[in-house]
Amino acid sequence: MAISGIGSNYNNVYGSTYTAQKNETVKKTGELSEAEEMELFKKEFYAEIDKIPKDRTIANVAINISEEAFKNMKADPKYREQMLSVIRRDMTGSVAPAPDCSMVITVGATAKDYRADSWSVNNDSEFYARSQNSFYKKTSVKRDRQKELLEEYLEKRMQVKRQQQEMLNEKIAKQEQERSRLAKAWSSKQQMSVVSNAYDANVMMETVLSKNREFNG
């Protein structure tokens, strides 16, 4: 089954350059800080995990590793090898009878904290919820139906929002046109009123002057 690596470039970018980075850092500073040593240890551990072939029955796999687990594995090489061994066992083992399963592996501070959970990809909400911040994660190219339905729903909701926005914009445009029409009509009415008043005043003035002329004549 084809695999798309969510974080699969981690090994290509970091794992293969682990030794070079360490040598370069040591050359420049003479030593590594505790944080730098831990970061390089994590990169090396990731590279080891990425080498493990995944059984064909496992569609998706995620590995959650606590900070306490990393500290203990770094301090105890035997514990590190033990965890790699059980991870390899679970990733390469069949999870039949389900043909396509998702697996979440949890590595804790001690061997007792280790666990591997798996379920059918047809009910994968648990996998996506528990693998959001996983140290290591790979999923199959095949997308589960639930994810497709979610994406379809989100797309339809976006279409509805776009349609609602377009209708709102159209309504606002019509309101602006009506307001502009009413403003022009009001302005025209005011102008007509001014002209009418001026005309009436002029007629009245002419009448008064005419009467005055008759009286004085």
Side-chain angles (χ1 to χ4, degrees):
M1 180 178 294
I3 297 298
S4 65
I6 299 179
S8 60
N9 289 333
Y10 195 104
N11 181 33
N12 296 331
V13 176
Y14 297 111
S16 61
T17 59
Y18 167 75
T19 303
Q21 286 181 349
K22 184 174 181 178
N23 292 339
E24 184 65 21
T25 303
V26 173
K27 183 187 296 184
K28 289 181 179 179
T29 64
E31 60 181 3
L32 293 173
S33 67
E34 184 175 341
E36 288 171 333
E37 286 186 354
M38 178 56 73
E39 182 63 20
L40 290 173
F41 176 82
K42 289 180 179 180
K43 292 171 182 177
E44 184 182 50
F45 195 78
Y46 186 101
E48 289 295 322
I49 294 174
D50 206 41
K51 296 176 184 177
I52 300 174
K54 181 170 61 63
D55 187 80
R56 63 181 182 81
T57 58
I58 302 174
N60 310 307
V61 62
I63 302 176
N64 300 324
I65 305 178
S66 67
E67 288 301 314
E68 192 65 27
F70 275 122
K71 291 178 182 179
N72 291 344
M73 287 192 293
K74 184 175 180 295
D76 185 359
K78 289 184 178 180
Y79 184 54
R80 175 184 181 277
E81 291 305 313
Q82 182 184 10
M83 291 300 98
L84 275 175
S85 177
V86 290
I87 290 173
R88 184 178 295 106
R89 176 200 66 195
D90 291 331
M91 284 182 62
T92 58
S94 173
V95 287
D100 290 303
C101 287
S102 292
M103 175 180 290
V104 173
I105 294 173
T106 303
V107 180
T110 68
K112 292 181 180 180
D113 299 319
Y114 179 91
R115 59 180 296 172
D117 301 307
S118 62
W119 47 86
S120 170
V121 294
N122 295 323
N123 185 27
D124 239 2
S125 57
E126 185 75 8
F127 173 79
Y128 288 109
R130 293 174 57 183
S131 66
Q132 290 183 5
N133 301 311
S134 296
F135 173 74
Y136 181 91
K137 183 178 179 180
K138 276 189 177 181
T139 62
S140 65
V141 173
K142 178 182 177 182
R143 302 187 323 181
D144 68 285
R145 182 57 180 161
Q146 286 185 346
K147 192 174 182 181
E148 289 179 354
L149 291 174
L150 175 61
E151 291 177 350
E152 290 175 3
Y153 166 75
L154 293 175
E155 177 60 27
K156 288 180 180 178
R157 190 169 67 175
M158 287 297 296
Q159 289 178 356
V160 171
K161 286 186 176 180
R162 284 195 293 266
Q163 291 173 353
Q164 290 175 340
Q165 186 62 46
E166 290 173 357
M167 293 174 62
L168 178 60
N169 292 340
E170 184 178 353
K171 183 178 180 180
I172 292 174
K174 288 182 178 179
Q175 289 175 343
E176 288 295 328
Q177 290 177 354
E178 181 64 15
R179 184 161 40 232
S180 177
R181 186 188 68 79
L182 292 174
K184 289 180 180 179
W186 182 85
S187 177
S188 178
K189 184 177 180 180
Q190 289 295 105
Q191 290 176 359
M192 289 297 293
S193 178
V194 170
V195 171
S196 179
N197 291 337
Y199 176 79
D200 292 342
N202 186 57
V203 170
M204 185 176 293
M205 181 62 68
E206 287 292 333
T207 301
V208 171
L209 291 174
S210 177
K211 288 183 178 181
N212 286 337
R213 283 195 296 270
E214 291 177 357
F215 180 77
N216 292 330

